[in-house]
Amino acid sequence: MAILLPLVAATGIMLQGWATIYFPGDASGTGSNLACVGAARRILGRTTLRASDFVIATRGKRRPFACGQRVRITNQRTGLSVYAWKLDTGPWSCYRGDRRITALKCPDTWHRRSLDDLTPAVAAAIRHNGYERVVVDAATGGF
């Protein structure tokens, strides 16, 4: 199952894939500490995640979005978009059936279900249902 489809748009890189919702302390790997420490300190004034933050976590071999980059997230079902900051890495959950583990690399026969993690604030703004497709691209406006 492919979950990552990099596209090149007029504004730069665009990722299309499944997103989930994460929040401080959800055992997603980082707890409530953001991976992009310097950027988080500069943008939020702190390095801990809050559910009300407009923050996303992305991963991938090419890591198309740098720490601290502003991105636009669009829910493909609703068509709603919101701007957020890429201040974390992940999601790091691996699944096999109903079982879930957290790992940098999934073991054989395990797989990832999502490309992006959204905070509850981002998810609410685009009416994300918890597990559905989104498009993430480099922000050119907003804030």
Side-chain angles (χ1 to χ4, degrees), residues 32-142:
S32 61
N33 295 316
L34 295 164
C36 302
V37 175
R41 226 179 247 125
R42 179 175 47 85
I43 293 165
L44 301 175
R46 57 188 153 73
T47 60
T48 54
L49 178 68
R50 294 181 185 157
S52 59
D53 292 334
F54 280 77
V55 169
I56 68 163
T58 61
R59 65 171 171 75
K61 291 181 181 176
R62 293 187 179 88
R63 293 188 193 247
F65 303 114
C67 280
Q69 185 168 355
R70 191 172 50 155
V71 295
R72 179 179 61 183
I73 302 98
T74 304
N75 183 327
Q76 290 187 297
R77 177 181 57 84
T78 65
L80 296 172
S81 295
V82 69
Y83 292 95
W85 299 102
K86 193 275 191 184
L87 294 177
D88 210 356
T89 59
W92 300 113
S93 294
C94 302
Y95 297 87
R96 185 173 70 192
D98 291 340
R99 295 181 59 204
R100 177 184 129 174
I101 62 170
T102 301
L104 290 177
K105 183 177 180 190
C106 292
D108 290 340
T109 72
W110 292 72
H111 66 280
R112 300 214 192 272
R113 290 186 181 166
S114 60
L115 171 67
D116 305 293
D117 267 340
L118 314 175
T119 58
V122 171
I126 60 172
R127 285 192 258 162
H128 189 276
N129 68 15
Y131 184 67
E132 62 186 325
R133 295 184 67 79
V134 298
V135 174
V136 181
D137 62 327
T140 58

Side-chain angles (χ1 to χ4, degrees), residues 10-32:
T11 59
I13 296 293
M14 181 188 313
L15 295 180
Q16 196 173 357
W18 295 93
T20 51
I21 300 171
Y22 81 133
F23 53 92
D26 76 348
S28 62
T30 61
S32 61

